[in-house]
Amino acid sequence: MKKTMQISPYGVFEKIEDDGSRKIQICDAIAFDAVVSDWIKRGRPKILLDYLHNRGEAAGWIVNLRRDPVEGMMGDCEYTPPGERAVFVDKIWRFPSADWWCSPTDHRPIKLETVALTNTPNIPVRPIVNSAGGSAAGGSKPTNQRNTRMEKIKQMLGLPPEADDTAIVAAVQALIDAKTQAAEAALKA
């Protein structure tokens, strides 16, 4: 079974390193484009989906990566039978959690190493399965529900009702850029 999952939304998030130190991760279009570009340069390898970042048994394989202008980093996963059962039948695991390399200079992800199933993600991603039992990412909501949601987003961003996706993305990117600049200024202080 192949399903789409949100690997990361746009935003600035705290990352706790193995040594306990805290750093930020800047998850923006620049970062996600770099991650996808790296994956393509490496020949589009399947990326391991494991359990709790243990790099052991495969729950599935991420077979496609892309940056969605609204949702962020998205991946198509081919689940193994045990992984499919754990997520979609037994509902043991709810969220994906990215394990990626970040640039030491600008704190943006540059390479996706693995993705894990977890119930306590560090980054606020959407659950893999929504309450109705379908995939939570990839347009599982009816169009009229999506349109209502988009109208609310336009209103929250101060955009006119006729604003298109390009205007929405630009407004969201401006917010991300402002948050990124504030986080970078805080790191330098």
Side-chain angles (χ1 to χ4, degrees), residues 5 12-13 17 34 48 55 94 97 105 112 114 121-122 130 155 174-175:
M5 69 172 66
V12 178
F13 308 105
E17 299 290 336
L48 174 66
R55 304 226 170 136
R94 294 194 64 212
S97 174
T105 55
L112 183 62
T114 64
N122 189 43
N130 65 19
Q155 184 180 27
L175 289 172

Side-chain angles (χ1 to χ4, degrees), residues 72-136:
M73 177 62 67
M74 305 297 287
D76 296 331
C77 181
E78 290 180 352
Y79 289 87
T80 62
E84 182 178 347
R85 187 174 52 255
V87 173
F88 298 99
V89 178
D90 298 335
K91 297 184 177 159
I92 296 169
W93 303 104
R94 294 194 64 212
F95 301 99
S97 174
D99 180 13
W100 43 33
W101 297 356
C102 288
S103 165
T105 55
D106 69 6
H107 308 285
R108 287 181 168 92
I110 54 174
K111 178 182 181 180
L112 183 62
E113 189 72 20
T114 64
V115 177
L117 294 173
T118 184
N119 289 320
T120 56
N122 189 43
I123 293 176
V125 293
R126 285 219 214 116
I128 296 170
V129 179
N130 65 19
S131 59
S135 174

Side-chain angles (χ1 to χ4, degrees), residues 25-46:
Q25 301 175 80
I26 300 170
C27 297
D28 60 7
I30 295 167
F32 295 153
D33 286 346
V35 170
V36 171
S37 178
D38 171 76
W39 175 70
I40 291 169
K41 285 178 189 171
R42 291 186 290 129
R44 300 176 191 251
K46 291 182 178 183

